[in-house]
């Protein structure tokens, strides 16, 4: 059976924690899109970790952790992350890398940085991990597939051809040092030797695993709002963040995905530029940011302070719909315990009309939030394991959101740890 854990919002919803928790029951955890531009924070018995490239199943000895073909694979970072784990006494994880995954090249990272520099104030807020140049090249059909590392003739010819092309930009647009094909070839040889023991035919492996009745977990990065088609284009990421893409980015049939857990946080946060309708500012935002997540809402990869907002039912309903949520996990509920009352965004006012349907970006820019205020519960809910034991106002908050978004909230997370979870029967 295949399950997916994906984000219903802008990312940073706590997917890492939910995946780590669900990975206990999984045989395979697979990353199917994205790259090292975002991080998943995981707290477990080994300590606190920020994973960027590795699947969140790496803390379990019984899990095969797969880098799917849809991923932007940064090879040195992958191995750096493995070393960070083993240095902290996590047993060496089982890893498999798709022979069809493509490689983030050193020039993708340079191009990302040079382009941000060139755009200056008008930048997209890229994390400069090379993700946009990587996916541009993949679809322009000039990317390097892992399998190509093992074909020396092909590699030699292609390196020369690509450097010629990239150097036009390096020299004439960005006025930087040109790339040297011999150096690039040497780097690719190093990459080949690093990945060689782990490369495999992932779709064949998964096909076999499915025939054997194994449990497979697809792990998404970011969330619906960052999807290039259905998100807040152009302030999006460059690969699809939707569960549907899990079939493509892993190499399985779409109908195999039986359970889709859309993760949504009990308040909102976003990184980078773009419309963020329920955003809050000033002291109100600072306090939520300080108290948020596990040690504050700051980027797991960049350390950037995240933009903060109240819960957005319009974005989340749309977010769950596009993910095809069979289950919703509402996370970080414990953080809201300090508030007397909690605003929740239930509609967008656009040109004088209130809508509950998430609009296209040019309309989104004009949207103003419609808030309702729910009473707070004013206590610490960490440690509670039964839904009925939550304070009444806390349950009302969960039930209000469930009714607004129209997808069943079956899990409420009330702390960063693996066991900080409350399962509930949805009323829907
Ligand atoms: P991801 O990319 O979706 O995995 O999100 P992040 O890595 O940004 O995770 C959100 C942060 O919230 C991390 O620091 C988690 O440890 C933390 N976290 C996850 N669930 C909970 C929760 O229920 N309560 C609290 N307080 N923190 C949580």
């Amino acid at each position: 059976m295949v399950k997916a854990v994906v984000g219903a919002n802008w990312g940073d919803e706590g997917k890492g924690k939910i995946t780590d928790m669900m990975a206990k029951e999984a045989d395979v955890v697979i990353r199917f899109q994205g790259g090292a531009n975002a991080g998943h924070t995981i707290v477990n018995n080994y300590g606190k970790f920020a994973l960027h490239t590795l699947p969140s199943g790496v803390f379990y000895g019984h899990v095969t952790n797969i880098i799917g073909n849809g991923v932007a694979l940064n090879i040195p970072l992958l191995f750096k992350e493995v070393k960070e784990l083993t240095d902290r006494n996590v047993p060496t994880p089982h890893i498999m890398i798709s022979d069809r995954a493509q490689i983030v090249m050193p020039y993708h990272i340079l191009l990302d940085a040079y382009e941000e520099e060139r755009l200056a104030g008008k930048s997209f807020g890229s994390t400069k991990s090379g993700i946009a140049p990587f996916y541009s090249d993949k679809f322009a059909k000039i990317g390097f597939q892992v399998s190509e590392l093992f074909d020396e003739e092909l590699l030699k010819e292609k390196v020369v051809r690509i450097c010629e092309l990239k150097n036009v930009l390096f020299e004439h647009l960005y006025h930087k040092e040109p790339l040297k094909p011999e150096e690039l070839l040497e780097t690719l040889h190093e990459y080949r030797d690093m990945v060689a023991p782990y490369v495999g035919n992932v779709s064949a492996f998964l096909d076999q695993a499915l025939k054997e009745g194994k449990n497979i977990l697809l792990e998404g990065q970011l969330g619906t709002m960052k999807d290039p088609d259905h998100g807040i284009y152009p302030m999006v990421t460059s690969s699809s963040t939707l569960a549907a893409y899990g079939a493509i980015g892993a190499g399985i049939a779409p109908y195999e995905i039986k359970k889709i857990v859309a993760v949504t946080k009990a308040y909102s946060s976003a990184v980078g530029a773009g419309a963020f309708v329920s955003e809050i500012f000033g002291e109100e935002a600072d306090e939520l940011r300080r108290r948020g997540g596990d040690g504050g809402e700051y980027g797991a990869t960049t350390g950037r302070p995240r933009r903060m907002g109240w819960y957005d039912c319009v974005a989340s309903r749309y977010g769950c719909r596009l993910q095809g949520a069979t289950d919703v996990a509402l996370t970080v509920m414990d953080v809201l315990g300090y508030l007397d009352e909690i605003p929740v965004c239930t509609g967008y006012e656009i040109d004088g009309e209130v809508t509950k349907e998430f609009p296209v970006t040019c309309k989104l820019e004009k949207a103003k939030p419609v808030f309702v205020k729910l009473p707070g519960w004013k206590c610490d809910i960490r440690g509670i394991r039964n839904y009925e034991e939550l304070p009444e106002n806390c349950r009302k908050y969960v039930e209000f959101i469930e009714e607004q978004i129209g997808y069943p909230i079956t899990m409420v997370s009330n702390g960063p740890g693996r066991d900080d979870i409350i399962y509930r029967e949805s009323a829907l």
Side-chain angles (χ1 to χ4, degrees), residues 326-391:
T326 60
D327 291 77
V328 177
L330 184 64
T331 59
V332 207
M333 272 297 282
D334 49 307
V335 161
L336 299 181
Y338 72 100
L339 292 154
D340 291 321
E341 46 183 22
I342 312 170
V344 174
C345 174
T346 55
Y348 289 178
E349 191 192 313
I350 302 170
D351 294 330
E353 276 187 37
V354 175
T355 178
K356 285 180 183 281
E357 179 57 29
F358 191 78
V360 292
T361 309
C362 48
K363 288 197 177 148
L364 186 68
E365 308 282 354
K366 298 197 231 168
K368 294 187 187 70
V370 177
F371 285 119
V372 296
K373 284 186 177 161
L374 301 186
W377 46 92
K378 300 291 286 179
C379 66
D380 186 2
I381 59 162
R382 279 209 194 180
I384 294 177
R385 293 290 171 267
N386 296 316
Y387 185 69
E388 295 314 318
E389 285 166 30
L390 285 173

Side-chain angles (χ1 to χ4, degrees), residues 12-17 39-41 43 293-294 306 331-332 334-335 382 413-416:
D12 306 320
E13 301 95 343
K15 294 177 295 295
K17 176 234 159 101
H40 289 169
T41 313
V43 183
D294 179 33
R306 292 178 180 150
T331 59
V332 207
D334 49 307
V335 161
R382 279 209 194 180
S413 171
N414 60 339

Side-chain angles (χ1 to χ4, degrees), residues 30-32 66-72 96 98 100-102 202 249-250:
I30 173 161
R31 289 276 315 264
F32 61 89
I66 298 185
I67 306 292
N69 56 278
V71 169
M96 183 172 180
S98 167
R100 291 179 180 275
Q102 294 205 7
V202 168

